[in-house]
Amino acid sequence: MSVRKLTSIKDVAKAAGVSVTTVSRYLNRTLDLPLPTRTRIDEAIKSLDYRPNPHARRLSRGRAETIGLVVPDISNPFFATLVAAVEEEADRRSLAVSLHATLNRPGREITYLQLIEHNHVDGLIFATNHHDDGLLAPLINRTGKVVVVDEDVPGALVPKILCDNENGGYLVGQHLAANAHRRVLFVGGSPEMLSAHRRRQGLSRALNERFGDDAELTAYAGDYTVDYGREAARRFLREDRPGSAIFASSDEIAIGLIEVFKETAVSVPEDVSVVGFDDVSPLHLFAPPITTVRQPVREIGKRALEVLLETNWQDPGSFASEELLPVEIVVRNSVAPPAKP
Amino acid sequence: MSVRKLTSIKDVAKAAGVSVTTVSRYLNRTLDLPLPTRTRIDEAIKSLDYRPNPHARRLSRGRAETIGLVVPDISNPFFATLVAAVEEEADRRSLAVSLHATLNRPGREITYLQLIEHNHVDGLIFATNHHDDGLLAPLINRTGKVVVVDEDVPGALVPKILCDNENGGYLVGQHLAANAHRRVLFVGGSPEMLSAHRRRQGLSRALNERFGDDAELTAYAGDYTVDYGREAARRFLREDRPGSAIFASSDEIAIGLIEVFKETAVSVPEDVSVVGFDDVSPLHLFAPPITTVRQPVREIGKRALEVLLETNWQDPGSFASEELLPVEIVVRNSVAPPAKP
DNA sequence: CCGGTACACTAAATCGCTTTACAAGAGAGT
DNA sequence: ACTCTCTTGTAAAGCGATTTAGTGTACCGG
């Protein structure tokens, strides 16, 4: 509270009767000292309650000991879980996490990417949820030290940690096919988004395996939000139900769908089957419990930090990679065979 | 990627033909310059793509332009929303947010509080979810620049932003009383926690107003978690249902209760009524939709940052305060009159 | 007695910015 | 003509670490 000056390395050096250099090097283990000297320094540190000034250290070393985390929206349960996983892992390694939400404000992603260039953070874990308009990839390639998670940024030559979207779609397709759904509506992001594209492809593959050319796949594209789920549900009803089952490409969308179906007395799964994606909300308590694909969210976060720290960023080109983490389908009660198949 | 050196203020000064001081003071608006000089500097900055090195700035100013945010668990929807609100508000003010989760690891809260003492951050927004064992309050008082949110830390003489827990409990009590529930189980935190204490008091007040001495209030105490909700539900059944209604002091607890009731075929609200607290999960889609008390989570986060920045921390003692934000009850479908009142 | 090798340290530059204190010149008032 | 006050700057000392390039002493083998 008072403006007492904090103890600096200089005070420690004086108290221990050595030079500042010695203390610094001892602390950074670049100098072996004989026991007596060591003890003197240790005691000085303890009695003065010395702790290195992080800003000075960062300026001097040119590193921030901080990693940046950019996500679309923290309050979304999916990203909240991702953030939690990254923070936990960073804390284990004594790194601070600087958190940034883009909230779909254009230009924000770019602003945050520039944090790296100016040494604000040592690296960035980056999640977007919309299609790159062409600015992101070059910037990412220029700045480096970025790990892309959850949604691909095409053209970015950096490590990417994604879930196995194709297989997720395929598992849903199989489950729907097993329940005799031949006509399916896919509600997801625009096809330029790799996640949406792959999920849809997996879905399509499974449906075709079962029904061949008789499979009918319709798609609506929009945001991964509750709002868009509502909109999609209304459109689905307005357009006379282009499908006996709906595969929502996120739980949020599924929640929106279900809200509207509830209001309009369309019952799930009797009138229409619904499957979600992510499994981060308490879908098992819904009426009915919602079948969904579980993403290994925490794994994604953890792995992203590992990769960020393990990658040798000196050797550009060496590190463009894509790691696919496995998904699983969690079957609950929102899928039933259609009334008239 | 390459080790190109970033442009520093020195380069700008040289390019503009002025001194470093001039550039710095111009940028920090402590110096008015005539248009021509201004233009030269602006152009130098633009053409060199200069951006101040944050570490140098922080070292020099002794401020971090960063605020710390300490919460028990980020993946919990309540805290996720709080984090989102704080981040949003901080971003508006060009402050970075350094995020830390305690995850109930003992000692972590203290570690993070010390971030302030060593200038790591300029201030801290602090949320705990368990009873202080006596170490926290003195440390908070010593470090200052802390705003306590959500849960009280008794003895901490700093601003506190809480919700109106007593009224929350009262509203629930009224609603339950109106549905003829005379015997109520309160499942919440230990009574040493102010939130639990006040909610329970409000509940008790409403019940007494209606039933006088006939009101029967039982209490279970534990964590605000789904796990504890499950445990409480099992105990409730084992102990022969000490109440026709349960007031869960968080949505998480309510979710745990409902899970177990679902498994054991105890139906809500026919067999037992349930009310939650927080309203951050999609409780409206549950079966049945859960009645709960809505906390103004985002408001709490936003207000906390405002208070953190507006408080005059030079004048200790002046700022111990408690701000209560209003709550409202969201009536849905999980309360019905008891079978045998 | 000399050169070499460890050992135990250190002086001083550096990181990039802020800030205090001061200065030179121009105009203004008396 | 002389002092005063602006205006428009500047030099240099921090901030608190890290790090490079040494230094002085002691011992040791030949």
Side-chain angles (χ1 to χ4, degrees):
Chain A
M1 207 101 31
S2 57
V3 206
R4 69 203 144 141
K5 223 156 119 28
L6 295 173
T7 64
S8 80
I9 196 172
K10 219 181 279 181
D11 305 315
V12 174
K14 200 171 296 170
V18 293
S19 78
V20 167
T21 313
T22 305
V23 179
S24 172
R25 298 192 52 195
Y26 166 57
L27 256 25
N28 292 291
R29 345 199 152 273
T30 94
L31 183 61
D32 272 340
L33 291 177
L35 189 58
T37 319
R38 222 149 61 202
T39 321
R40 266 169 24 236
I41 297 182
D42 286 340
E43 269 164 15
I45 289 179
K46 189 156 298 170
S47 76
L48 295 172
D49 188 30
Y50 166 72
R51 225 132 343 159
N53 177 316
H55 306 316
R57 170 176 253 261
R58 300 209 251 251
L59 172 58
S60 190
R61 306 251 296 226
R63 268 186 284 126
E65 330 246 282
T66 299
I67 66 123
L69 179 51
V70 176
V71 297
D73 176 15
I74 302 152
S75 62
N76 174 316
F78 178 82
F79 293 115
T81 310
L82 184 71
V83 169
V86 170
E87 192 279 338
E88 193 173 342
E89 193 65 15
D91 188 81
R92 279 206 324 108
R93 300 167 191 248
S94 307
L95 292 170
V97 173
S98 188
L99 182 62
H100 305 273
T102 60
L103 300 174
N104 278 323
R105 291 169 298 196
R108 276 319 166 124
E109 297 181 321
I110 292 180
T111 310
Y112 296 138
L113 274 168
Q114 289 172 336
L115 292 177
I116 296 185
E117 294 203 274
H118 296 273
N119 271 131
H120 219 102
V121 300
D122 301 326
L124 213 57
I125 294 178
F126 188 88
T128 181
N129 67 349
H130 58 78
H131 173 238
D132 179 16
D133 49 11
L135 294 172
L136 245 41
L139 187 54
I140 290 178
N141 291 334
R142 186 150 63 80
T143 59
K145 295 202 183 178
V146 177
V147 172
V148 166
V149 299
D150 179 45
E151 180 64 67
D152 189 37
V153 177
L157 304 171
V158 295
K160 295 169 184 177
I161 315 290
L162 313 173
C163 80
D164 190 345
N165 288 301
E166 209 271 346
N167 189 234
Y170 183 72
L171 293 172
V172 172
Q174 279 193 317
H175 181 60
L176 257 23
N179 278 273
H181 289 282
R182 187 181 52 79
R183 296 172 60 236
V184 176
L185 171 64
F186 173 80
V187 181
S190 78
E192 284 131 338
M193 289 171 67
L194 203 63
S195 65
H197 181 70
R198 287 187 179 166
R199 287 174 198 177
R200 190 182 152 174
Q201 282 216 314
L203 175 65
S204 167
R205 179 162 66 92
L207 255 28
N208 287 335
E209 275 178 10
R210 175 72 169 68
F211 302 107
D213 288 347
D214 290 337
E216 267 180 50
L217 179 51
T218 314
Y220 294 172
D223 297 337
Y224 287 159
T225 61
V226 175
D227 271 351
Y228 181 66
R230 292 199 196 99
E231 194 186 318
R234 285 188 216 105
R235 179 170 162 201
F236 172 79
L237 298 175
R238 208 169 51 233
E239 296 185 348
D240 227 19
R241 313 200 183 179
S244 54
I246 304 181
F247 173 25
S249 202
S250 88
D251 288 345
E252 303 282 300
I253 293 177
I255 290 176
L257 292 170
I258 301 219
E259 278 185 14
V260 171
F261 290 156
K262 218 161 214 192
E263 285 161 15
T264 53
V266 173
S267 72
V268 177
E270 288 76 13
D271 298 334
V272 55
S273 293
V274 172
V275 180
F277 205 103
D278 290 347
D279 197 36
V280 287
S281 299
L283 299 182
H284 60 298
L285 298 176
F286 281 30
I290 307 296
T291 294
T292 193
V293 173
R294 179 172 298 159
Q295 280 209 57
V297 198
R298 302 198 82 102
E299 282 308 308
I300 292 176
K302 188 175 168 199
R303 187 75 193 116
L305 190 64
E306 279 169 15
V307 170
L308 183 62
L309 298 178
E310 283 164 9
T311 297
N312 172 18
W313 297 100
Q314 300 316 307
D315 177 10
S318 78
F319 45 69
S321 69
E322 190 179 282
E323 204 167 305
L324 257 37
L325 268 43
V327 298
E328 58 180 316
I329 186 165
V330 183
V331 174
R332 293 198 268 246
N333 237 317
S334 59
V335 173
K340 25 171 188 173
Chain B
M1 204 99 30
S2 58
V3 204
R4 66 200 148 148
K5 223 155 119 27
L6 295 173
T7 64
S8 80
I9 196 172
K10 219 181 280 179
D11 305 315
V12 174
K14 200 170 297 170
V18 294
S19 78
V20 167
T21 313
T22 306
V23 179
S24 171
R25 297 193 53 197
Y26 166 58
L27 255 25
N28 292 292
R29 346 198 151 274
T30 94
L31 184 61
D32 272 341
L33 290 178
L35 190 59
T37 319
R38 223 150 60 201
T39 321
R40 272 180 7 247
I41 297 182
D42 286 340
E43 269 164 14
I45 289 179
K46 189 156 299 171
S47 76
L48 295 172
D49 188 30
Y50 167 73
R51 223 127 351 154
N53 176 316
H55 306 315
R57 169 174 252 262
R58 300 208 251 250
L59 172 57
S60 188
R61 307 255 297 230
R63 269 186 282 126
E65 329 246 283
T66 299
I67 67 121
L69 179 52
V70 176
V71 297
D73 176 16
I74 302 151
S75 61
N76 173 317
F78 178 82
F79 294 114
T81 310
L82 183 71
V83 169
V86 170
E87 192 278 340
E88 192 172 342
E89 193 65 14
D91 188 81
R92 279 206 324 108
R93 300 168 191 248
S94 307
L95 292 169
V97 172
S98 187
L99 182 62
H100 306 273
T102 60
L103 299 174
N104 278 324
R105 290 168 297 194
R108 276 317 166 124
E109 297 181 322
I110 292 180
T111 309
Y112 295 137
L113 274 168
Q114 289 173 336
L115 292 178
I116 295 186
E117 294 203 274
H118 296 274
N119 270 130
H120 219 103
V121 300
D122 301 326
L124 214 55
I125 294 179
F126 188 87
T128 181
N129 67 350
H130 58 77
H131 173 239
D132 178 17
D133 49 11
L135 295 172
L136 245 41
L139 186 55
I140 290 177
N141 291 335
R142 187 152 61 83
T143 59
K145 295 203 183 179
V146 177
V147 172
V148 166
V149 299
D150 179 48
E151 180 64 67
D152 189 36
V153 177
L157 304 171
V158 294
K160 296 169 185 178
I161 315 289
L162 313 173
C163 80
D164 190 345
N165 288 302
E166 208 272 345
N167 190 235
Y170 184 72
L171 293 173
V172 172
Q174 279 192 316
H175 180 61
L176 256 22
N179 278 272
H181 290 281
R182 185 181 53 79
R183 297 172 59 237
V184 176
L185 171 65
F186 173 78
V187 180
S190 79
E192 284 131 340
M193 289 171 65
L194 204 64
S195 64
H197 181 70
R198 287 188 178 163
R199 288 174 198 178
R200 189 182 154 174
Q201 284 217 312
L203 175 67
S204 167
R205 179 161 67 90
L207 255 28
N208 288 334
E209 274 177 11
R210 174 72 170 71
F211 301 108
D213 288 346
D214 291 336
E216 267 180 49
L217 179 51
T218 315
Y220 294 171
D223 297 336
Y224 287 159
T225 60
V226 174
D227 270 352
Y228 181 66
R230 290 199 198 100
E231 193 185 318
R234 284 188 217 105
R235 179 170 162 200
F236 172 78
L237 297 176
R238 207 170 51 232
E239 296 184 348
D240 226 19
R241 312 200 183 180
S244 55
I246 304 181
F247 173 25
S249 202
S250 87
D251 288 345
E252 303 282 299
I253 293 178
I255 289 177
L257 294 169
I258 301 220
E259 277 185 14
V260 171
F261 290 155
K262 216 161 217 193
E263 285 161 15
T264 53
V266 174
S267 72
V268 177
E270 289 75 14
D271 298 335
V272 55
S273 293
V274 171
V275 180
F277 206 102
D278 290 347
D279 197 36
V280 286
S281 299
L283 301 181
H284 59 299
L285 297 176
F286 281 30
I290 307 295
T291 294
T292 192
V293 174
R294 179 172 299 160
Q295 279 209 58
V297 197
R298 303 198 81 101
E299 282 308 307
I300 292 176
K302 188 176 166 197
R303 187 75 192 116
L305 191 64
E306 279 170 16
V307 170
L308 183 61
L309 298 177
E310 283 163 11
T311 298
N312 171 18
W313 297 101
Q314 301 314 307
D315 177 10
S318 78
F319 45 70
S321 69
E322 190 180 282
E323 204 167 305
L324 258 36
L325 268 42
V327 299
E328 59 180 313
I329 187 167
V330 182
V331 174
R332 291 199 268 247
N333 236 319
S334 59
V335 174
K340 26 170 190 176

